Amino acid sequence: MIADPASRNVVWHEATITRSDRERLNGHRGVILWFTGLSGSGKSTLAHAVEAQLFERGCRTFVLDGDNVRHGLCADLGFSDRDRQENIRRIGEVAKLFTEAGVITLAAFVSPFRADRDRVRALVADGEYIEVYCQASLDVCEQRDVKGLYAKARAGQIPEFTGISSPYEAPEAAELKIDTGSRSLDDCVAQVLNYLVQQGIISASDRG
């Protein structure tokens, strides 16, 4: 929550349909799966693959993807430290709204700074923010370079690029640390799904 919001004279309106009502209808809890890692580490690929499996199980899901939100919600932001912080703040608030709707939200963002990720964690209750560290070395990410971004960054065409000219602060206590640099996509998906079952977020007996 912003300490000194610009919007004043506003009053919170309590919903008629509660979060518990929605989760009961959905058949699972609403949580945030926050995929973080370097560009090219496989965040979006893994998030969408996990969503596909959850969808087959009958779960309510939505993926918030770093590039996609910058086409609309965050189109006014650049990549300075300040803009990155605001980008993650906005996404965190959107993800929180989805959890209130009982949705499993899969957010795939480089989100390079721990403090920004911790602020998102603080928006929801314990156990509702699940940090998924997509671990792949810089060498592996550069070898993939599916968007050609590292080559441009090395050539000085992209300033403030995470891993090259801007730092990435790796998670120190992520709920899930997945070796996306060497493990198969199927193995990575299974690791996430197994965690969700173990934590009672989804049922092992969900259809699919």
Side-chain angles (χ1 to χ4, degrees):
M1 181 179 294
I2 298 176
D4 187 23
S7 301
R8 303 189 185 279
N9 301 312
V10 293
V11 179
W12 187 268
H13 187 91
E14 293 297 334
T16 303
I17 305 301
T18 68
R19 174 176 177 172
S20 295
D21 294 330
R22 294 187 173 95
E23 290 183 332
R24 185 169 60 253
L25 178 66
N26 294 346
H28 57 76
R29 291 165 50 198
V31 296
I32 300 171
L33 283 167
W34 192 277
F35 297 81
T36 179
L38 293 171
S39 178
S41 61
K43 300 179 300 299
S44 293
T45 299
L46 179 55
H48 283 283
V50 171
E51 184 190 35
Q53 289 296 314
L54 291 173
F55 182 83
E56 290 301 316
R57 292 168 176 250
C59 298
R60 304 289 195 272
T61 63
F62 196 82
V63 173
L64 295 169
D65 180 82
D67 281 357
N68 290 358
V69 299
R70 284 183 177 272
H71 280 81
L73 178 66
C74 298
D76 59 320
L77 300 176
F79 290 91
S80 67
D81 288 358
R82 184 183 181 89
D83 281 359
R84 288 176 188 270
Q85 179 180 349
E86 174 60 14
N87 183 58
I88 298 306
R89 187 196 71 80
R90 293 182 193 180
I91 299 309
E93 293 290 349
V94 171
K96 178 184 177 182
L97 291 175
F98 273 111
T99 64
E100 292 296 323
V103 172
I104 297 174
T105 308
L106 305 96
F109 294 83
V110 173
S111 47
F113 304 125
R114 292 190 196 101
D116 294 341
R117 300 193 300 266
D118 288 344
R119 274 189 284 270
V120 178
R121 184 187 291 274
L123 290 173
V124 294
D126 289 346
E128 293 178 2
Y129 173 94
I130 300 163
E131 195 165 72
V132 183
Y133 176 28
C134 297
Q135 187 180 37
S137 69
L138 180 59
D139 286 343
V140 168
C141 293
E142 285 202 73
Q143 288 169 16
R144 292 173 176 174
D145 204 11
V146 293
K147 301 174 183 177
L149 299 178
Y150 283 100
K152 291 181 179 179
R154 292 288 188 189
Q157 298 174 18
I158 303 179
E160 301 170 313
F161 188 78
T162 302
I164 303 298
S165 52
S166 186
Y168 176 77
E169 298 173 358
E172 296 178 330
E175 281 74 13
L176 283 168
K177 182 177 178 180
I178 300 182
D179 184 2
T180 52
S182 63
R183 295 185 63 181
S184 71
L185 180 58
D186 286 346
D187 285 347
C188 294
V189 170
Q191 189 174 342
V192 177
L193 294 178
N194 288 340
Y195 180 87
L196 295 178
V197 171
Q198 291 166 5
Q199 298 301 310
I201 294 163
I202 63 173
S203 170
S205 61
D206 284 338
R207 63 180 174 83

